[in-house]
Amino acid sequence: MEHSWETAASLASLGGESEEEEEAFRPPVSAAAGGDDGLDEPVLLVDLAAVAASAGGAVTDMQQARTMVLEALGGEDEFLARSENLFASGHCRHAERRSCGAEREAMEAERGGGAVVSVIFYPPICGGVPLRELWRAVREPSQWEVVDELKLRAARCHKSLKWKLEVAREAEALAGASVREGGGRPVNGNGGGGGVRSDGSAFGLGSANGCGAARLPGGSCEEEEVSALDLLLGLIFQGISLAELAEATEQRAVLRRMWRSTFGCLPRASAVALKHAPSRPATGAPASALRPAPPT
């Protein structure tokens, strides 16, 4: 069944008991509240007033809207996939548990007096995997500072956890492939494999030359084409507001310089990846949407 948030009111009749009233939320005040390792966890901030309005009058109060959202998100096996639709609707934002109280208030203030924003928690198990392990895969340090910066920016995006996992894995795979092409070294002191996958970059790093253009003396590059990193950055910074444009432009430039400094050159995107990469990726498009087709 397609779970559209414009027709989500009908999902409330699919069965199941009504949720109890929203639990009183007290953000943790110490690192220990996020776990022994201090790792926080993601939550959803949902504008219940916007959800109710999208239901076309079928929802009469905010508790009913919250119940509708919870039922539409489903259980641990469906939550991640269905949350993608909620993010795409524009009614939902990402936050982390420790700071979500302040972010909820800011979201309500930004959206005006009619907004009613509710905190919704992920199930502790999602698709058979503990939520903390999924979030750790997004946030754990890699061998390279630039990869950590890419992962951090992806983690902060108002997109699904599934999307963030894919972007984090793409960044690590791209770095691993760049190393095998002859550049880069660990700079974070983590040692070992540090999250580098062995299957290379799914963005299609050129097998003959990992550089997006000719390598110049001293390891610099004369950039002549869109690189695989540019495709990844396009996904991370997609959907930013006009107010965020200047800062995002500077961040992109900094990340590109960091990548060149670490690996010597920007990685080439395959012809297949470029052919199928939209100029403006669809909202919420996962990084894997830009993967080249496997060789035949």
Side-chain angles (χ1 to χ4, degrees), residues 181 205-211 268:
E181 290 293 334
L205 184 68
S207 58
N209 180 3
C211 184
R268 173 185 296 151

Side-chain angles (χ1 to χ4, degrees), residues 39-56:
L39 184 70
D40 209 343
E41 64 181 52
V43 298
L44 305 179
L45 298 181
V46 180
D47 186 344
L48 298 180
V51 171
S54 72

Side-chain angles (χ1 to χ4, degrees), residues 115-282:
V116 179
V117 177
S118 179
V119 178
I120 292 181
F121 299 101
Y122 286 77
I125 304 292
C126 295
V129 181
L131 173 64
R132 287 183 58 77
E133 294 305 313
L134 294 173
W135 190 237
R136 190 189 311 279
V138 174
R139 295 294 292 114
E140 68 181 352
S142 71
Q143 293 186 72
W144 303 278
E145 182 180 3
V146 64
V147 173
D148 292 348
E149 290 295 323
L150 289 166
K151 292 171 68 173
L152 175 60
R153 282 161 176 77
R156 291 174 174 172
C157 288
H158 299 304
K159 296 182 181 179
S160 73
L161 179 53
K162 178 182 176 183
W163 180 91
K164 296 174 186 189
L165 282 164
E166 292 190 351
V167 169
R169 289 166 180 164
E170 291 296 328
E172 292 184 353
L174 193 59
S178 294
V179 168
R180 287 189 293 277
E181 290 293 334
R185 60 185 177 83
V187 296
N188 288 341
N190 294 321
V196 177
R197 297 194 312 183
S198 61
D199 56 349
S201 168
F203 269 65
L205 184 68
S207 58
N209 180 3
C211 184
R215 186 184 296 270
L216 301 178
S220 62
C221 298
E222 182 180 355
E223 297 160 24
E224 298 175 348
E225 58 189 46
V226 176
S227 71
L229 179 64
D230 291 316
L231 297 181
L232 190 60
L233 289 171
L235 290 172
I236 291 174
F237 290 106
Q238 176 196 0
I240 60 172
S241 66
L242 187 60
E244 299 170 313
L245 181 59
E247 181 181 359
T249 300
E250 176 59 25
Q251 288 179 354
R252 289 179 66 130
V254 168
L255 289 166
R256 294 173 93 251
R257 288 196 296 269
M258 288 178 67
W259 192 279
R260 284 197 299 266
S261 176
T262 302
F263 301 109
C265 206
L266 298 182
R268 173 185 296 151
S270 71
V272 175
L274 290 170
K275 177 180 178 181
H276 292 285
S279 57
R280 292 182 177 270

Side-chain angles (χ1 to χ4, degrees), residues 71-118:
E71 291 183 347
L73 285 169
E76 63 182 53
D77 292 331
E78 305 89 10
F79 194 98
L80 292 186
R82 294 184 183 180
S83 68
E84 294 189 70
N85 294 333
L86 185 55
F87 276 107
S89 73
H91 305 329
C92 179
R93 290 186 180 178
H94 159 82
E96 293 188 25
R97 183 167 181 171
R98 292 178 197 144
S99 60
C100 68
E103 291 187 47
R104 172 167 62 176
E105 293 176 0
M107 184 174 173
E108 287 182 338
E110 177 186 326
R111 295 194 169 207
V116 179
V117 177
S118 179

